[in-house]
Amino acid sequence: MVQRVFAWVLAALLLPVVATADGSGPTFWMPDQASTISTGIDRVFYIIYWISAAFFVGIVVAMVMFALAYRRKRAGQPAKSQTDHNMAIEAIWTIVPLGLAIYIFYIGFAGFMDFRTVPANAYEVNVEGQQWNWSFTYPNGYVTNELHVPVDRPIRLTMTSVDVLHSFFVPEFRIKYDVLPGKYTTAWFHATKSGEYNVFCTEYCGTSHSQMRTKVVVHDPGMFQPWLDAASNWIDTMSPVEAGQRVYQVRGCTQCHSIDGSSGIGPSFKGIWGRTEQMKSGEQVVVDENYVRESVLEPQAKIVAGYDGVMPTYQGRLKEDEIRVLIAYLKSLSGEGS
Ligand code: CUA
């Protein structure tokens, strides 16, 4: 009976290893390794895992043996003698765990330093978290809401939030770091495999926290710069309405303003152009170019009755050109302009 329990415990502990023996690709515990630091982080994880597993087995075995050896005897039978002190055992169980703790601290700290030390030649991308959207700004000012990076090059992310706490997490890169309002934080990675990887927000940030996901697209060697050059031209190559739609989708408007007439955190954009809106202050305002521009740059100036003034400002975040095409898009949603 004892042997059978023991065999099951051992099988359960070995299962993850048997299931992950080939060493590449996702494993039982961990997703694919796609950045330079992932192997080091996984090594720390597995070392701690195996130390814990060994102690777990040792403790269970000792517990079962002691339970059997010292179980209640029949009346009148004398109990076995108990040793109350053993210097050698005491020394072993002090020195061995101390050595292990120092070792775990060492490998953990070395891994942490790799995770926090940004290589000097890193390519810099600015990251902005906003309920419930990510945006990424490249050195030439181009903005996307999927992160695009070259393979085999360290990438430095300079991150901030326009509203509440978020956290940037890419499981395959083994990076996760908080994104804070009013402060910059940095994270870095060096992708070793091209492809697409999921990005998650791992700080509870309100209603649609679980929807705050995007992708990292890691481009093949030599393909990133051509992609960036072509994509950066969007405002000149798209019609104003298409370009405005892109601003609407990429810059986080979609999270609060629907285009199907349904009411969200802010008023729907459907049919909004030219409408007379009742403001909280009692004032009535016609939705025109100047009102839209003001609402983008100074959202708190006029708040439509029935809504809260929660919109963040886009001052310094949208260029005049982008506001211009956004206005063209709003007009098109009301069947005006073209
Ligand atoms: Cu952003 Cu959760």
Side-chain angles (χ1 to χ4, degrees), residues 130 132 134 165-167 201-206 209-210 212:
Q130 173 177 356
W132 292 278
W134 294 103
L165 285 176
H166 303 279
S167 188
C201 175
T202 49
E203 192 68 68
Y204 181 66
C205 57
H209 156 70
S210 61
M212 193 168 163

